[in-house]
Amino acid sequence: MSDALDPEVLDAAVENVHRAGMPGLFAEVRDGDQVWRGAAGVADVDTGRPVTADLRHRVGSITKTFTAAAVLQQVEQGRIVLDAPIGRYLPGLLPDGRGEAVTVRMLMNHTSGLAEYLPHAYSSLKAFPALADTGPQSLDDHRFTRFDPAELIALGVAAPAVGPPGGAPGLYSNTNYLLLGKLLEEVTGTSAERCITRNVIERAGLRDTELPTGPYVGEPHSRLYESWFGMIDPPRDYSVYDMSWVGPSASLISTVSDLNRFFGMLLAGEIVSPSSLAQMRRTVPVVSQEGRTIEYGLGLHPTQAPGQDTFWGHGGTAWGAGALAVISADGRRRVAVAVNLQRWNALDSAGRPRPHPIDDALAAFHRVAMYG
């Protein structure tokens, strides 16, 4: 079981992350009726403006949990069958018979075998930095580029499959969630963003959460500093960026308070039904973007320290922004944390990220926040 909140311990842990080199971070931890909010460091390294716990923030792939919830709501209404082939709804989009072999569930739990489109987006569109063969110039080149999700999906679909449909382990791929966005559009007759906003964000009463239609984060927010493994030195602010390159897979803007509210309502069965929540927590092995094999459900995955309670949630990154939101299986303990620097690790001669003091300090804060 997690311990009750100790504000002094949490304050010290969050300050340690800042001292280890993180410009700024902020978090909210809830345990039953107890609430701790804390922040350390700066939101702007030039002016010294401090971070505060109410800032709006890009939360990256935490978006996937929202998209998965919207899809499951359509399953509950009978518009989508979870184990039906995606070709039933989006005919002709997946070639070579894959449209009949890949199911909606496989897209949601990353066992579709579809490749990640991002590396191919660089080689085809010169749109994203590929770590192996380029520097970070394309981040600047595409701050205001508006991408067509169909074009991005086509890149992932055209790439060699990374495995058979339903194969294990799966491979984490943003292509899957762009396809789920197209699925939502097909069955609801509105954009995926509007569907998720109306049925998930507004339903949960999240006042500071949105899927942006432009490159700006509403105030108040931190600047977001991208290091790109030390290739951008000093790290550069990418808080202004058009997130159409990830859309319903990773473009969400939220606050730590809104994230804790959302995950609390989700596990209480107030966003999707208890039976849908059980499907979300039915996991399979999936290889993450970092190359680790994790258990992954339908837009949710578990985290557990040895001998401790299981937490459910998601993490996410964008250019310069990182976030994690998790909730204990019993719904009592909720943790949401946001950081304003990404890819702080320099690379060794083999191209692997070197250890950095931020790594250990941030992991220590996560442990304290989750388990006391």
Side-chain angles (χ1 to χ4, degrees):
M1 295 292 292
S2 59
D3 294 330
L5 301 186
D6 187 328
E8 291 186 5
V9 172
L10 288 163
D11 287 341
V14 79
E15 183 62 35
N16 285 341
V17 183
H18 170 53
R19 289 176 178 171
M22 179 62 62
L25 72 157
F26 47 101
E28 180 187 87
V29 182
R30 291 179 171 266
D31 192 284
D33 294 332
Q34 285 187 288
V35 181
W36 170 88
R37 296 184 184 95
V42 297
D44 188 322
V45 298
D46 293 327
T47 67
R49 172 170 60 94
V51 287
T52 54
D54 62 341
L55 296 181
R56 305 176 90 237
H57 197 72
R58 298 197 190 278
V59 300
S61 284
I62 296 173
T63 311
K64 290 180 173 66
T65 312
F66 286 69
T67 299
V71 171
L72 287 167
Q73 289 173 345
Q74 299 304 312
V75 171
E76 293 169 10
Q77 294 175 33
R79 295 194 181 104
I80 296 172
V81 176
L82 193 54
D83 290 304
I86 190 62
R88 177 185 299 182
Y89 308 101
L90 301 172
L93 202 56
L94 302 188
D96 304 323
R98 282 189 287 174
E100 295 307 309
V102 172
T103 66
V104 176
R105 184 192 299 274
M106 292 175 194
L107 296 175
M108 297 177 77
N109 67 12
H110 297 293
T111 60
S112 68
L114 293 171
E116 173 63 73
Y117 66 86
L118 289 175
H120 305 283
Y122 172 73
S123 59
S124 299
L125 304 177
K126 307 300 180 189
F128 308 103
L131 182 57
D133 36 65
T134 188
Q137 181 59 41
S138 59
L139 271 71
D140 292 312
D141 292 344
H142 291 277
R143 280 182 184 268
F144 299 101
T145 301
R146 195 73 183 162
F147 288 99
D148 181 351
E151 187 176 12
L152 299 176
I153 290 169
L155 293 171
V157 168
V162 295
L171 183 70
Y172 188 96
S173 169
N174 286 290
T175 307
N176 293 314
Y177 275 74
L178 290 193
L179 277 162
L180 291 171
K182 296 298 288 184
L183 174 62
L184 286 173
E185 291 178 7
E186 180 65 26
V187 301
T188 66
T190 188
S191 71
E193 288 78 8
R194 181 58 192 146
C195 172
I196 297 165
T197 298
R198 182 181 61 230
N199 297 332
V200 180
I201 296 171
E202 292 177 357
R203 179 171 177 173
L206 308 181
R207 297 181 178 180
D208 295 305
T209 299
E210 67 172 328
L211 288 164
T213 57
Y216 299 98
V217 181
E219 296 292 352
H221 71 85
S222 172
R223 294 187 180 275
L224 305 176
Y225 296 102
E226 180 61 48
S227 177
W228 194 249
F229 305 102
M231 298 179 200
I232 305 176
D233 187 19
R236 197 173 302 149
D237 171 30
Y238 288 98
S239 56
V240 176
Y241 213 95
D242 192 301
M243 296 297 290
S244 58
W245 62 280
V246 284
S249 71
S251 66
L252 195 74
I253 294 167
S254 192
T255 64
V256 290
S257 292
D258 269 7
L259 290 176
N260 276 338
R261 176 178 174 85
F262 167 73
F263 280 98
M265 293 180 70
L266 181 68
L267 259 69
E270 297 175 22
I271 305 296
V272 299
S273 70
S275 61
S276 291
L277 180 62
Q279 295 292 335
M280 294 183 84
R281 296 200 282 187
R282 180 178 162 186
T283 65
V284 295
V286 168
V287 178
S288 72
Q289 289 178 317
E290 295 76 29
R292 296 181 296 108
T293 299
I294 62 172
E295 291 296 313
Y296 197 95
L298 306 185
L300 275 180
H301 64 87
T303 300
Q304 185 175 28
Q308 298 285 3
D309 294 343
T310 298
F311 278 71
W312 290 89
H314 217 293
T317 68
W319 304 136
L324 175 71
V326 294
I327 181 171
S328 59
D330 63 7
R332 179 176 178 83
R333 187 90 161 198
R334 288 175 264 172
V335 177
V337 56
V339 298
N340 65 0
L341 173 69
Q342 280 299 291
R343 284 157 284 273
W344 52 77
N345 305 85
L347 302 178
D348 64 18
S349 58
R352 295 183 298 258
R354 297 179 185 273
H356 190 285
I358 290 175
D359 303 330
D360 290 338
L362 190 57
F365 173 74
H366 290 159
R367 287 193 300 271
V368 167
M370 294 164 67
Y371 301 114

